[in-house]
Amino acid sequence: MPRNEPTEVTDGWDGERSPRRRKAVRYGVPVAVAAVAAATIGLVPAFAGSGSPDLPKISAEDLIAKIAKSDVQQLSGTVRVTTDLGLPALPGVGGGAGGFGGGEKGGDGASAAPQNKLMELASGAHTLRVAADGPDKQRVSIVDKAAEYSLVHHGNELWAYDSGSNTAVHSTAPDSRSGKQHRAPEGLPKDLKGATPQDLAKQALKAAGDTTSVTVDGTAKVAGRDAYQLLIKPKQAGSTVGSIRVAVDAENGTPLKFTLTPKSGGAAAVDVGYTNVDFAKPAASTFDFTPPKGAKVVDGDKGRATAEREHGKDAPSRKELAKDMGGLNVIGKGWTSIATIKGEGALPSGKDTDKGEGAGGDAAKFLDSIGDKVNGSFGSGRFFSTRLVNALITDNGTVYVGAVDKQSLINAANAAK
């Protein structure tokens, strides 16, 4: 019998059931790519070397347990992120000539803000250099051809530096050893997670349940390490996700690569994996940062304090966000969940397009250029598609969006009419 024959998991798995599991993901490096993971759900082993290592057979249950028990706290290496969601090109989105984030040199520091890197990571290929030494020391650098953007967390010191605009944003946060809650700057994910295959694998495994097939599908070489391949597939027909493949280090259980392939086929929609990795303790100097001579230093704490005075200290609750968005609701379950946002007014119509004058006509022309007209018992609307996430906007302004096919969105709108 061949080794590592697929073994399916038919029951659910709770990614939060083990305190050590939670500990294992605390060292995630500080870059705001969590939104990319949430919007895309996957990746493919583009860096798997030739030849598959001969490893002892392991079941899917035992491999998941191995990931859960992984307690790697120290590492350094290079991560390659490739994203191909099929998003339409929009003017003004992405980096510009003024620096890695497109900000002007000597500007207000916006180009160094972590949240401004999200759109850049949502498409194309990027190289990240990462390092971690426990929950209080992490560093990630996004390397471009002519610029570098770095995020450094060292104790209670937080730095974000954009070499393109020569701007550094400095913030402080309580050291985690003090027992106080860590407060990151605006736009930075809690506990500075989201950049590595480990963090993405955790989110994917949470989906395992009666809507998901989880198997062990052979072995691979990733970043020079022997790895098992965990294959995750939706069982629900309406999902646009084909599969998620997670390469798991055979020795220590660390996810080395995370790949999502759309059901439509082709290249991976998202591919995140180590090209090299070292689990030795990084040099202490790795987490030191001093702004270069002539750099503009921005006080991130001051900006956060201003935002808190204007908008309140705490982030809005889900209920408050739903209210602000006109009634956010989620229907369905698992891979075919659909988020709906109740509209409060009609979209620009074809009549506006015919007139061709004013904001209404311009908006209608724009929507027509990127969306297809659809009809159903709900009325009519426009369908917008990417390789993974699709959306239906009815003419009354209600939005249906999810990683589901066109007919699933139309069915949801018909049922809600």
Side-chain angles (χ1 to χ4, degrees), residues 191-276:
D191 293 334
L192 306 177
K193 298 177 186 176
T196 65
Q198 298 97 298
D199 303 314
L200 299 177
K202 177 188 175 185
Q203 295 191 30
L205 288 173
K206 280 184 178 180
D210 59 3
T211 64
T212 308
S213 166
V214 184
T215 62
V216 177
D217 189 29
T219 65
K221 276 279 190 183
V222 180
R225 309 268 307 178
D226 290 351
Y228 293 103
Q229 298 201 77
L230 192 67
L231 185 63
I232 303 169
K233 288 186 174 182
K235 292 181 178 179
Q236 296 164 296
S239 174
T240 56
V241 177
S243 67
I244 292 175
R245 188 177 293 271
V246 182
V248 182
D249 192 288
E251 180 180 346
N252 58 32
T254 300
L256 300 173
K257 192 163 186 63
F258 192 84
T259 303
L260 179 145
T261 304
K263 183 183 290 185
S264 59
V270 182
D271 183 22
V272 177
Y274 289 100
T275 57
N276 63 73

Side-chain angles (χ1 to χ4, degrees), residues 264-308:
S264 59
V270 182
D271 183 22
V272 177
Y274 289 100
T275 57
N276 63 73
V277 64
D278 186 346
F279 294 104
K281 181 183 178 71
S285 60
T286 302
F287 309 102
D288 294 335
F289 179 80
T290 301
K293 183 178 180 180
K296 177 175 180 176
V297 178
V298 177
D299 186 343
D301 292 333
K302 183 177 179 180
R304 184 174 64 205
T306 300
E308 288 176 351

